[in-house]
Amino acid sequence: MTLTHLSEWTSFGGTLSVYEHESVITRTPMTFAVYTPKGEGPFPVLWYLSGLTCTWANVMEKAGLQRMAAELGLMIIAPDTSPRGDEVPNDTSYDLGQGAGFYLSATQAPWAEHYHMDRYITEELTQIIADNFQSDMSRQGITGHSMGGHGAITLHLKNPEQFKSCSAFSPITSPSRVPWGQKAFTAYLGKDETIWKAYDASALVKSGHTSSAHILIDTGTADNFREEQLKPELFVQACEASEQKLTSRLQDGYDHSYYFVASFIEDHLRWHAEALG
Amino acid sequence: MTLTHLSEWTSFGGTLSVYEHESVITRTPMTFAVYTPKGEGPFPVLWYLSGLTCTWANVMEKAGLQRMAAELGLMIIAPDTSPRGDEVPNDTSYDLGQGAGFYLSATQAPWAEHYHMDRYITEELTQIIADNFQSDMSRQGITGHSMGGHGAITLHLKNPEQFKSCSAFSPITSPSRVPWGQKAFTAYLGKDETIWKAYDASALVKSGHTSSAHILIDTGTADNFREEQLKPELFVQACEASEQKLTSRLQDGYDHSYYFVASFIEDHLRWHAEALG
């Protein structure tokens, strides 16, 4: 496996680097970013999964998270949100296809050949990070925004030994029951809704996929997607019923943008740093 | 004068708002952003002038300055970098015309009708801020990046009673002697280089346009424009010869990007807050 180093910036005393590699799992080139704080590793690792239409760049350019990552000594990994390329199936809408991988393994044509973002992250990219960076893989946490918040919670619940801490900004908490998720799951997974439950944070918790972590969620009260697509209350109900530790906060006046993420990223990084020790 | 409110976000407990208005000075619609911290005003005002190709959005999206503005209680004003529109003269290159106003008053055709960004800021937009926002106009500072660093220093030196504190990131410190400035000044001001001196920070200081402020400048050692376009050493020499107080720092490994600006924005905001009292 060859890692191609695409770009590098100094940021808050550490280094932000972007790499490309040929992925065995997605069968495409894949791009990801790593922020490494200054100093001697190995560093605990925080994964940041982005939302619809995003790449590694959104969080690194707009969330300001390098500041606290530098202060707390966290390595940040930002994968892309889907496989991409002229040969990769796509859709004209923003919420399906390239930029909208939904952190699942597609089973339906034409998506099944390339769309396997969950295994790409938990298997292939995890191994790449372990092999090539000053990472302490015994201390990994995961967070994300919107579709990436869905990804963070579901990957945590299904892999609590890998991702020991979990938080999310404006997550889609029950994709099976909202338009974004229903559209994507029908396309990627087919019409059998029982299969969807493996990728639905609220359904996972209800079916016993709880973790010992204390999950943190922030959602803005002025988020236009909150009532129709995010529904944080569904995850609150599921966690209460299953005794999953959860702090779900509504932040007054904030919307779905990175201005919101930036405002609370310090809280989330401190939450992970404390949980990871 | 009518202010049209284009957009608004909650950010770090305060409010980021974007407005449009018909400018008497540029004879175009102009757009600007205001970040107002939470709490009771009036707030000291920090102007942020952006670089080539930028709008109000670059600093508000990428510098993370709302965090410290909220903490220190500073109002931030981010103007656009030029007049814009189909009727406004332009150039196909990125460093002349729209997005490249250079904070001066053009005297040459076809630019002279619209390109007056210095007076737009110090006269028209200043009055708009005074009339419409919870601003303490007796406490104003100015900063900027690259072309906007040139703007910040020159507007400060020529209006020290208005802009009582001054700093800059990667400023063009002597545009008369570098390709970006020579191209722009020839187009906007004509070939008579004596006229250029009114818009050249180093020439201004040399000719006695000093201030009682202590100016702060940061420039990255890995900035690709440093040696050819920025030349911080020219401003250091001018300030030493004229006893202008200056701290000019070279930051190891940083380039010209907003990753650099974000890394040192806290220092600059604290510098202004202290100077403005």
Side-chain angles (χ1 to χ4, degrees), chain A residues 9-10 12-13 253-255 262-263, chain B residues 9-10 12-13 67 253-255 263:
Chain A
W9 297 270
T10 300
F12 286 94
Y254 289 88
D255 71 356
S263 298
Chain B
W9 295 270
T10 299
F12 287 94
R67 183 180 66 87
Y254 289 89
D255 70 358
S263 298

Side-chain angles (χ1 to χ4, degrees), chain B residues 82-104:
Chain B
S82 78
R84 298 178 191 268
D86 293 344
E87 308 300 311
V88 176
N90 201 2
D91 190 273
T92 53
S93 55
Y94 75 99
D95 53 1
L96 188 67
Q98 296 185 33
F102 272 86
Y103 306 101
L104 52 73

Side-chain angles (χ1 to χ4, degrees), chain A residues 26 28-31 50-51 54-55 79-85 88-90 96-103 114-117 120 147 188:
Chain A
T26 69
T28 63
M30 290 296 292
T31 303
S50 273
C54 293
T55 68
D80 204 345
T81 50
S82 77
R84 296 179 192 269
V88 175
N90 201 1
L96 188 66
Q98 296 185 33
F102 272 86
Y103 306 100
H114 298 290
Y115 285 74
H116 300 275
M117 287 301 293
Y120 167 71
M147 176 184 75
Y188 294 139

Side-chain angles (χ1 to χ4, degrees), chain A residues 113-251:
Chain A
E113 188 180 352
H114 298 290
Y115 285 74
H116 300 275
M117 287 301 293
D118 54 347
R119 289 178 49 230
Y120 167 71
I121 289 167
T122 60
E123 298 175 19
E124 189 171 12
L125 189 51
T126 293
Q127 194 61 51
I128 289 171
I129 301 305
D131 290 346
N132 293 277
F133 300 92
Q134 289 296 313
S135 54
D136 177 353
M137 303 306 272
S138 73
R139 294 192 287 163
Q140 296 178 65
I142 193 163
T143 186
H145 175 234
S146 193
M147 176 184 75
H150 141 73
I153 302 172
T154 55
L155 292 191
H156 163 69
L157 293 172
K158 294 199 277 189
N159 306 276
E161 293 304 311
Q162 175 172 0
F163 306 112
K164 293 188 169 68
S165 59
C166 176
S167 77
F169 298 89
S170 337
I172 307 169
T173 69
S174 189
S176 301
R177 289 180 278 180
V178 303
W180 274 341
Q182 290 165 341
K183 176 180 177 179
F185 286 6
T186 301
Y188 294 139
L189 303 171
K191 293 181 180 171
D192 180 357
E193 297 188 16
T194 59
I195 294 170
W196 298 4
K197 294 186 177 178
Y199 299 107
D200 183 304
S202 299
L204 281 168
V205 164
K206 274 191 192 168
S207 68
H209 276 87
T210 55
S211 81
S212 60
H214 187 155
I215 299 171
L216 173 65
I217 290 177
D218 277 313
T219 307
T221 61
D223 188 323
N224 289 332
F225 300 112
R226 180 167 58 92
E227 294 188 1
E228 188 183 7
Q229 305 280 10
L230 309 179
K231 294 187 179 291
E233 68 280 5
L234 295 181
F235 193 59
V236 170
Q237 292 159 11
C239 288
E240 283 174 354
S242 300
E243 298 188 352
Q244 169 66 48
K245 279 177 282 183
L246 170 71
T247 295
S248 180
R249 308 187 295 199
L250 289 178
Q251 301 290 359

Side-chain angles (χ1 to χ4, degrees), chain A residues 20-135:
Chain A
E20 185 180 83
H21 69 104
E22 289 294 328
S23 166
V24 176
I25 289 183
T26 69
R27 302 183 189 185
T28 63
M30 290 296 292
T31 303
F32 65 94
V34 177
Y35 178 72
T36 308
K38 193 176 173 181
E40 289 294 310
F43 303 102
V45 173
L46 180 62
W47 296 76
Y48 183 97
L49 307 188
S50 273
L52 290 166
T53 76
C54 293
T55 68
W56 66 266
N58 301 67
V59 63
M60 293 298 184
E61 291 179 357
K62 295 185 172 181
L65 88 173
Q66 294 95 321
R67 182 180 67 87
M68 284 309 298
E71 183 172 326
L72 299 168
L74 291 172
M75 175 175 286
I76 310 287
I77 312 295
D80 204 345
T81 50
S82 77
R84 296 179 192 269
D86 293 342
E87 308 302 310
V88 175
N90 201 1
D91 189 273
T92 53
S93 55
Y94 75 99
D95 54 1
L96 188 66
Q98 296 185 33
F102 272 86
Y103 306 100
L104 52 72
S105 284
T107 58
Q108 304 297 301
W111 314 103
E113 188 180 352
H114 298 290
Y115 285 74
H116 300 275
M117 287 301 293
D118 54 347
R119 289 178 49 230
Y120 167 71
I121 289 167
T122 60
E123 298 175 19
E124 189 171 12
L125 189 51
T126 293
Q127 194 61 51
I128 289 171
I129 301 305
D131 290 346
N132 293 277
F133 300 92
Q134 289 296 313
S135 54

